Amino acid sequence: MRFLGIDPGLLVCGYACLEIGPDGEKLIEAGVVRTPADLPLEQRLNRIADDTASLLKSLSPDVVAVEELYSHYAHPRTEILMGHARGVILQKCAEAAIEVRSFSATRIKKSITGNGRASKEQVQRTIQTILCLPEPPEPNDVADAIAAAICCANSTKSVVF
């Protein structure tokens, strides 16, 4: 079974595809989708949509795990802009008829480390251990996407890390 984790963002979206099979878990691909800050919002969203559609086609996930947005009262505009990116990602998943599961950041961290308030470094080190990676995943956007995919796999009854 393939899980595509996505950490939505307007400047940088992290993504990671995990395959879970009889031989265990395998990281198929991970990376980031970037949009230039000087492009108008609608062009950036279109680029995110195109890149998401391309990832869905090339990686053929069974399920997409997307991190939910958390809005801090001091920075509501940031979350509104990120919400645009998340909406485009969700729409492309719907268009491709791929199931989407959303998870809060605290649930993802708890699924990975046992602590919903774990630091980014702790999440990265735990992912490195779980997937036997030579180095912790970088940047944080990629680590967050891997963590979302693992959390989704953990929530699937037939697959447990």
Side-chain angles (χ1 to χ4, degrees), residues 66-70 102-110 151:
V66 182
E67 186 174 320
E68 292 176 350
L69 299 179
Y70 168 77
S102 296
F103 301 94
S104 68
T106 54
R107 178 160 180 208
I108 292 169
K109 288 178 180 182
K110 186 168 185 162
C151 178

Side-chain angles (χ1 to χ4, degrees), residues 5-8 65-69 86 101-120 122-123 126-127 130 140-155:
I6 299 180
D7 179 36
V66 182
E67 186 174 320
E68 292 176 350
L69 299 179
R86 188 174 189 276
R101 296 186 192 161
S102 296
F103 301 94
S104 68
T106 54
R107 178 160 180 208
I108 292 169
K109 288 178 180 182
K110 186 168 185 162
S111 176
I112 301 299
T113 67
N115 176 3
R117 302 279 181 218
S119 69
K120 294 226 178 246
Q122 186 178 357
V123 171
T126 304
I127 290 169
I130 289 171
N140 286 332
D141 310 280
V142 169
D144 290 347
I146 295 170
I150 292 172
C151 178
C152 188
N154 285 341
S155 74

Side-chain angles (χ1 to χ4, degrees), residues 10-32:
L10 194 56
L11 283 172
V12 180
C13 286
Y15 72 90
C17 184
L18 287 178
E19 188 169 85
I20 313 299
D23 297 332
E25 63 279 352
K26 179 180 176 186
L27 182 62
I28 302 297
E29 183 178 327
V32 294

Side-chain angles (χ1 to χ4, degrees), residues 124-136:
Q124 288 171 299
R125 285 191 310 272
T126 304
I127 290 169
Q128 179 185 9
T129 301
I130 289 171
L131 297 178
C132 301
L133 301 174
E135 299 288 328

